[in-house]
Amino acid sequence: MAYPILAAGGLSAIITLIHVFMGGPEVARPLLASGDLKKQPKYVAYYCWHLVTISIGLMSLLFLWPALWGGSNDLAIMGSVMAALFALWGIGLGQFSKADLAFIDLPQGWLFVPIAVLGFWGSLF
């Protein structure tokens, strides 16, 4: 068993739970309650919220499947690529957007860095 891949799967599962149970009340509910947005952009953003939930949940499975049940590390490599891209976009958005957001305002991208590192490292075994 490649323990770094297992750790990457565990971390991505934790992030999925954080996204659902902490981010839902903090982001999704206020989005839906917003009276300033028209229905179409509001529900497109809400749809995207659920796509993220599905994506990071699937990322967990991409790591946990080879770690727990064996098989090709190709799944873990795909999860690592996803995590690296999520990290790059999240960090870049905060640093290079016109909104000039600090780390504390948009920390999500940084959460995927250890997942990507562990996933790529574990895929070498």
Coordinates of all heavy atoms in Angstrom, one line a residue, residues 58-123:
L58 N -14.9 12.8 -6.0 CA -14.3 11.9 -7.0 C -12.7 11.9 -6.8 O -12.1 10.8 -6.9 CB -14.6 12.3 -8.4 CG -14.0 11.5 -9.5 CD1 -14.5 10.0 -9.4 CD2 -14.4 12.1 -10.9
M59 N -12.1 13.0 -6.5 CA -10.7 13.0 -6.3 C -10.3 12.1 -5.1 O -9.3 11.4 -5.2 CB -10.2 14.5 -6.0 CG -8.7 14.6 -5.8 SD -8.3 16.3 -5.2 CE -8.9 17.3 -6.5
S60 N -11.1 12.1 -4.1 CA -10.9 11.2 -3.0 C -10.9 9.8 -3.4 O -10.0 9.0 -3.1 CB -12.0 11.4 -1.9 OG -12.0 12.7 -1.4
L61 N -11.9 9.4 -4.3 CA -11.9 8.0 -4.8 C -10.8 7.7 -5.7 O -10.3 6.5 -5.7 CB -13.2 7.8 -5.5 CG -14.5 7.8 -4.7 CD1 -15.7 7.7 -5.5 CD2 -14.4 6.6 -3.7
L62 N -10.3 8.7 -6.4 CA -9.1 8.4 -7.3 C -7.9 8.0 -6.5 O -7.0 7.3 -7.0 CB -8.8 9.6 -8.2 CG -9.9 9.9 -9.3 CD1 -9.6 11.3 -10.0 CD2 -9.9 8.8 -10.3
F63 N -7.8 8.6 -5.3 CA -6.7 8.2 -4.4 C -7.0 6.9 -3.6 O -6.1 6.0 -3.5 CB -6.3 9.3 -3.5 CG -5.7 10.5 -4.1 CD1 -6.4 11.8 -4.1 CD2 -4.5 10.5 -4.8 CE1 -5.8 12.9 -4.6 CE2 -4.0 11.6 -5.4 CZ -4.6 12.8 -5.3
L64 N -8.1 6.9 -3.1 CA -8.5 5.8 -2.1 C -8.6 4.4 -2.8 O -8.2 3.4 -2.3 CB -9.7 6.1 -1.4 CG -9.6 7.3 -0.4 CD1 -11.0 7.6 0.2 CD2 -8.6 7.0 0.7
W65 N -9.0 4.4 -4.1 CA -9.2 3.2 -4.8 C -7.9 2.4 -4.9 O -7.8 1.3 -4.5 CB -9.8 3.4 -6.2 CG -10.2 2.1 -6.8 CD1 -9.5 1.3 -7.6 CD2 -11.5 1.5 -6.7 NE1 -10.2 0.2 -8.0 CE2 -11.4 0.3 -7.4 CE3 -12.7 1.8 -6.1 CZ2 -12.5 -0.6 -7.6 CZ3 -13.8 1.0 -6.2 CH2 -13.7 -0.2 -6.9
P66 N -6.8 3.0 -5.5 CA -5.6 2.3 -5.6 C -4.9 2.1 -4.2 O -4.2 1.0 -4.0 CB -4.7 3.1 -6.5 CG -5.3 4.5 -6.5 CD -6.7 4.3 -6.2
A67 N -5.1 3.0 -3.3 CA -4.5 2.8 -2.0 C -5.1 1.7 -1.2 O -4.4 0.9 -0.5 CB -4.6 4.1 -1.2
L68 N -6.4 1.5 -1.2 CA -7.1 0.5 -0.4 C -7.3 -0.8 -1.2 O -7.3 -1.9 -0.5 CB -8.4 1.0 0.1 CG -8.3 2.2 1.1 CD1 -9.7 2.8 1.4 CD2 -7.5 1.9 2.3
W69 N -7.6 -0.7 -2.5 CA -8.0 -1.9 -3.2 C -7.0 -2.3 -4.3 O -7.3 -3.2 -5.1 CB -9.4 -1.8 -3.7 CG -10.4 -1.6 -2.6 CD1 -10.8 -2.5 -1.7 CD2 -11.0 -0.3 -2.3 NE1 -11.7 -1.9 -0.9 CE2 -11.8 -0.6 -1.2 CE3 -11.0 0.9 -2.8 CZ2 -12.6 0.4 -0.6 CZ3 -11.8 1.9 -2.2 CH2 -12.6 1.6 -1.1
G70 N -5.9 -1.7 -4.4 CA -4.9 -2.0 -5.3 C -5.2 -1.5 -6.7 O -6.2 -0.8 -7.0
G71 N -4.4 -1.9 -7.7 CA -4.6 -1.5 -9.0 C -3.6 -0.5 -9.5 O -2.7 -0.2 -8.8
S72 N -3.9 0.1 -10.6 CA -3.0 1.0 -11.2 C -2.9 2.4 -10.4 O -3.9 2.9 -9.9 CB -3.4 1.3 -12.6 OG -2.7 2.3 -13.2
N73 N -1.7 2.9 -10.4 CA -1.5 4.2 -9.8 C -2.0 5.3 -10.8 O -1.9 6.5 -10.4 CB -0.1 4.5 -9.4 CG 0.3 3.8 -8.1 OD1 -0.6 3.4 -7.4 ND2 1.6 3.8 -7.8
D74 N -2.4 5.0 -12.0 CA -2.9 6.0 -12.9 C -4.1 6.8 -12.3 O -4.2 8.0 -12.6 CB -3.4 5.3 -14.2 CG -2.2 4.7 -15.0 OD1 -1.0 5.1 -14.7 OD2 -2.5 4.0 -15.9
L75 N -4.9 6.1 -11.5 CA -6.0 6.9 -10.9 C -5.5 7.9 -9.9 O -5.9 9.1 -9.9 CB -6.9 5.9 -10.1 CG -7.7 4.9 -10.9 CD1 -8.4 3.9 -10.0 CD2 -8.6 5.6 -11.9
A76 N -4.4 7.6 -9.2 CA -3.8 8.5 -8.2 C -3.1 9.7 -9.0 O -3.1 10.8 -8.5 CB -2.9 7.8 -7.3
I77 N -2.5 9.3 -10.1 CA -1.9 10.4 -10.9 C -2.9 11.4 -11.4 O -2.7 12.6 -11.4 CB -1.1 9.8 -12.1 CG1 0.1 9.0 -11.6 CG2 -0.7 10.8 -13.1 CD1 0.8 8.2 -12.6
M78 N -4.1 10.9 -11.8 CA -5.2 11.8 -12.3 C -5.7 12.6 -11.1 O -5.9 13.8 -11.3 CB -6.3 10.9 -12.9 CG -7.4 11.7 -13.5 SD -6.7 12.6 -14.9 CE -7.7 14.0 -14.9
G79 N -5.8 12.0 -9.9 CA -6.2 12.8 -8.8 C -5.2 13.9 -8.4 O -5.5 15.0 -8.1
S80 N -3.9 13.5 -8.6 CA -2.8 14.5 -8.3 C -2.8 15.6 -9.3 O -2.6 16.8 -8.9 CB -1.5 13.8 -8.4 OG -1.4 12.7 -7.5
V81 N -3.1 15.3 -10.6 CA -3.2 16.4 -11.6 C -4.4 17.3 -11.3 O -4.2 18.5 -11.3 CB -3.4 15.8 -13.0 CG1 -3.8 16.8 -14.0 CG2 -2.1 15.1 -13.4
M82 N -5.5 16.7 -10.9 CA -6.6 17.5 -10.5 C -6.3 18.4 -9.3 O -6.6 19.6 -9.3 CB -7.8 16.6 -10.1 CG -8.6 16.0 -11.2 SD -9.9 14.9 -10.6 CE -11.0 16.1 -9.9
A83 N -5.7 17.9 -8.3 CA -5.3 18.6 -7.1 C -4.3 19.7 -7.4 O -4.4 20.9 -7.0 CB -4.7 17.7 -6.0
A84 N -3.3 19.4 -8.3 CA -2.4 20.5 -8.7 C -3.0 21.6 -9.5 O -2.7 22.8 -9.2 CB -1.3 19.9 -9.6
L85 N -4.0 21.3 -10.3 CA -4.7 22.3 -11.1 C -5.6 23.1 -10.2 O -5.7 24.4 -10.3 CB -5.5 21.7 -12.2 CG -4.6 21.1 -13.4 CD1 -5.5 20.3 -14.4 CD2 -3.8 22.2 -14.1
F86 N -6.3 22.5 -9.3 CA -7.1 23.2 -8.3 C -6.2 24.1 -7.4 O -6.6 25.3 -7.2 CB -7.8 22.2 -7.4 CG -9.0 21.5 -7.9 CD1 -9.2 21.4 -9.3 CD2 -9.9 20.8 -7.1 CE1 -10.3 20.8 -9.8 CE2 -11.0 20.2 -7.6 CZ -11.2 20.2 -9.0
A87 N -5.0 23.7 -7.1 CA -4.1 24.5 -6.3 C -3.7 25.7 -7.1 O -3.7 26.8 -6.6 CB -2.9 23.7 -5.8
L88 N -3.2 25.5 -8.3 CA -2.7 26.6 -9.1 C -3.8 27.6 -9.4 O -3.5 28.8 -9.3 CB -2.2 26.0 -10.5 CG -0.9 25.3 -10.4 CD1 -0.6 24.6 -11.7 CD2 0.3 26.2 -10.0
W89 N -5.0 27.1 -9.7 CA -6.1 28.1 -10.0 C -6.5 28.9 -8.7 O -6.6 30.1 -8.7 CB -7.3 27.4 -10.6 CG -8.4 28.3 -10.7 CD1 -9.6 28.3 -10.1 CD2 -8.5 29.5 -11.5 NE1 -10.4 29.3 -10.5 CE2 -9.8 30.1 -11.4 CE3 -7.6 30.1 -12.4 CZ2 -10.1 31.3 -12.0 CZ3 -8.0 31.3 -13.0 CH2 -9.2 31.9 -12.8
G90 N -6.6 28.1 -7.6 CA -7.0 28.8 -6.3 C -6.0 29.8 -5.9 O -6.3 30.9 -5.4
I91 N -4.7 29.5 -5.9 CA -3.6 30.4 -5.5 C -3.5 31.5 -6.5 O -3.4 32.7 -6.1 CB -2.3 29.6 -5.3 CG1 -2.4 28.6 -4.2 CG2 -1.1 30.6 -5.1 CD1 -1.3 27.6 -4.2
G92 N -3.5 31.2 -7.8 CA -3.4 32.3 -8.8 C -4.6 33.3 -8.7 O -4.4 34.5 -8.9
L93 N -5.8 32.8 -8.5 CA -7.0 33.6 -8.4 C -6.8 34.7 -7.3 O -7.1 35.8 -7.5 CB -8.2 32.8 -8.2 CG -9.5 33.6 -8.1 CD1 -9.9 34.3 -9.4 CD2 -10.7 32.6 -7.7
G94 N -6.3 34.2 -6.2 CA -6.2 35.1 -5.0 C -5.0 36.1 -5.2 O -5.1 37.3 -4.8
Q95 N -4.0 35.7 -5.9 CA -2.8 36.5 -6.1 C -2.9 37.5 -7.3 O -2.3 38.6 -7.2 CB -1.6 35.6 -6.2 CG -1.3 34.8 -5.0 CD -1.2 35.6 -3.7 OE1 -0.4 36.5 -3.7 NE2 -1.9 35.2 -2.7
F96 N -3.5 37.0 -8.3 CA -3.5 37.8 -9.6 C -4.8 38.4 -10.0 O -4.8 39.1 -11.1 CB -2.9 36.9 -10.7 CG -1.5 36.4 -10.4 CD1 -1.4 35.0 -10.1 CD2 -0.4 37.2 -10.2 CE1 -0.1 34.5 -9.8 CE2 0.8 36.7 -9.9 CZ 1.0 35.4 -9.7
S97 N -5.8 38.2 -9.3 CA -7.1 38.8 -9.6 C -7.1 40.3 -9.3 O -6.4 40.7 -8.4 CB -8.3 38.1 -9.0 OG -8.3 38.3 -7.6
K98 N -8.0 41.0 -9.9 CA -8.2 42.4 -9.6 C -8.8 42.6 -8.2 O -8.7 43.7 -7.6 CB -9.1 43.1 -10.6 CG -8.5 43.1 -12.0 CD -9.4 43.8 -13.0 CE -8.7 43.8 -14.3 NZ -9.5 44.4 -15.4
A99 N -9.3 41.5 -7.6 CA -9.9 41.6 -6.3 C -8.8 41.7 -5.2 O -9.1 42.1 -4.1 CB -10.8 40.4 -6.0
D100 N -7.6 41.3 -5.5 CA -6.4 41.3 -4.6 C -6.8 40.7 -3.3 O -6.7 41.4 -2.2 CB -6.0 42.8 -4.5 CG -4.6 42.8 -3.8 OD1 -3.8 41.9 -3.9 OD2 -4.4 43.8 -3.0
L101 N -7.1 39.4 -3.3 CA -7.5 38.7 -2.1 C -6.3 38.2 -1.4 O -5.4 37.6 -2.0 CB -8.5 37.6 -2.5 CG -9.8 38.0 -3.1 CD1 -10.5 36.8 -3.8 CD2 -10.7 38.6 -2.1
A102 N -6.4 38.3 -0.1 CA -5.3 37.7 0.8 C -5.5 36.2 1.0 O -6.6 35.7 0.8 CB -5.3 38.5 2.1
F103 N -4.5 35.6 1.5 CA -4.6 34.1 1.8 C -5.8 33.8 2.7 O -6.5 32.9 2.4 CB -3.3 33.6 2.4 CG -3.4 32.3 3.0 CD1 -3.5 31.1 2.2 CD2 -3.5 32.1 4.4 CE1 -3.6 29.9 2.8 CE2 -3.6 30.9 5.0 CZ -3.7 29.8 4.2
I104 N -6.0 34.6 3.7 CA -7.1 34.4 4.6 C -8.4 34.5 4.0 O -9.4 33.9 4.4 CB -6.9 35.3 5.9 CG1 -7.8 34.8 7.0 CG2 -7.3 36.7 5.5 CD1 -7.2 33.6 7.7
D105 N -8.5 35.3 2.9 CA -9.8 35.5 2.2 C -10.1 34.3 1.3 O -11.3 34.1 1.0 CB -9.8 36.8 1.4 CG -9.6 38.0 2.3 OD1 -10.2 38.0 3.4 OD2 -8.9 38.9 1.9
L106 N -9.1 33.7 0.7 CA -9.3 32.6 -0.3 C -8.2 31.5 -0.1 O -7.4 31.4 -0.9 CB -9.2 33.2 -1.7 CG -9.8 32.4 -2.8 CD1 -11.3 32.2 -2.7 CD2 -9.4 33.1 -4.1
P107 N -8.3 30.8 1.0 CA -7.3 29.8 1.3 C -7.5 28.4 0.5 O -6.6 27.6 0.6 CB -7.5 29.5 2.8 CG -8.9 29.7 3.0 CD -9.3 30.9 2.1
Q108 N -8.6 28.3 -0.2 CA -8.9 27.0 -0.7 C -7.8 26.4 -1.6 O -7.6 25.2 -1.6 CB -10.2 27.1 -1.5 CG -11.4 27.4 -0.7 CD -11.7 28.8 -0.5 OE1 -10.8 29.7 -0.6 NE2 -12.9 29.2 -0.1
G109 N -7.2 27.2 -2.5 CA -6.2 26.7 -3.4 C -5.0 26.0 -2.6 O -4.5 25.0 -3.1
W110 N -4.7 26.6 -1.5 CA -3.5 26.1 -0.7 C -3.8 24.7 -0.1 O -2.9 23.9 0.1 CB -3.1 27.1 0.4 CG -2.5 28.3 -0.2 CD1 -3.2 29.5 -0.4 CD2 -1.2 28.5 -0.6 NE1 -2.3 30.4 -1.0 CE2 -1.1 29.8 -1.1 CE3 -0.1 27.7 -0.7 CZ2 0.1 30.3 -1.6 CZ3 1.1 28.2 -1.2 CH2 1.2 29.5 -1.7
L111 N -5.1 24.4 0.1 CA -5.5 23.1 0.7 C -5.1 21.9 -0.3 O -5.0 20.8 0.2 CB -7.0 23.1 1.0 CG -7.5 24.1 2.0 CD1 -9.0 24.0 2.1 CD2 -6.9 23.8 3.4
F112 N -5.1 22.2 -1.6 CA -4.8 21.1 -2.5 C -3.3 20.9 -2.7 O -2.9 19.9 -3.4 CB -5.5 21.5 -3.8 CG -7.0 21.4 -3.7 CD1 -7.8 22.5 -3.5 CD2 -7.6 20.2 -3.8 CE1 -9.1 22.4 -3.4 CE2 -9.0 20.1 -3.6 CZ -9.8 21.2 -3.4
V113 N -2.4 21.8 -2.3 CA -1.0 21.6 -2.4 C -0.5 20.3 -1.8 O 0.1 19.5 -2.5 CB -0.2 22.8 -2.0 CG1 1.3 22.5 -1.9 CG2 -0.5 24.0 -2.8
P114 N -0.8 20.0 -0.5 CA -0.3 18.8 0.1 C -0.9 17.5 -0.6 O -0.3 16.5 -0.7 CB -0.6 18.9 1.5 CG -1.6 20.0 1.7 CD -1.5 20.9 0.5
I115 N -2.1 17.7 -1.1 CA -2.8 16.5 -1.7 C -2.0 16.2 -3.0 O -1.7 15.0 -3.3 CB -4.3 16.8 -2.0 CG1 -5.0 16.9 -0.7 CG2 -4.9 15.7 -2.9 CD1 -6.4 17.5 -0.8
A116 N -1.7 17.2 -3.8 CA -1.0 17.0 -5.1 C 0.4 16.4 -4.8 O 0.8 15.5 -5.4 CB -0.9 18.3 -5.8
V117 N 1.1 17.0 -3.8 CA 2.5 16.5 -3.5 C 2.4 15.0 -3.0 O 3.2 14.2 -3.5 CB 3.1 17.4 -2.4 CG1 4.4 16.8 -1.9 CG2 3.4 18.8 -3.0
L118 N 1.5 14.7 -2.1 CA 1.4 13.3 -1.6 C 1.0 12.4 -2.7 O 1.5 11.3 -2.8 CB 0.4 13.3 -0.4 CG 0.9 13.9 0.9 CD1 -0.3 14.0 1.8 CD2 1.9 13.0 1.5
G119 N 0.1 12.8 -3.5 CA -0.4 12.0 -4.6 C 0.7 11.7 -5.6 O 0.9 10.5 -6.0
F120 N 1.4 12.7 -6.1 CA 2.5 12.5 -7.0 C 3.6 11.6 -6.4 O 4.2 10.7 -7.0 CB 3.1 13.8 -7.5 CG 2.2 14.4 -8.6 CD1 1.8 15.8 -8.4 CD2 1.9 13.8 -9.7 CE1 1.0 16.4 -9.4 CE2 1.1 14.4 -10.7 CZ 0.7 15.7 -10.5
W121 N 4.0 11.9 -5.1 CA 5.0 11.2 -4.4 C 4.6 9.7 -4.3 O 5.4 8.8 -4.6 CB 5.2 11.8 -3.1 CG 6.2 11.1 -2.2 CD1 7.4 10.5 -2.6 CD2 6.2 10.9 -0.8 NE1 8.1 10.0 -1.5 CE2 7.3 10.2 -0.4 CE3 5.2 11.2 0.2 CZ2 7.6 9.8 0.9 CZ3 5.5 10.9 1.5 CH2 6.6 10.2 1.8
G122 N 3.4 9.5 -3.9 CA 2.9 8.1 -3.7 C 2.8 7.3 -5.0 O 2.9 6.1 -5.1
S123 N 2.6 8.0 -6.1 CA 2.5 7.4 -7.4 C 3.8 6.9 -7.9 O 3.8 6.1 -8.8 CB 1.9 8.4 -8.4 OG 0.6 8.8 -8.1

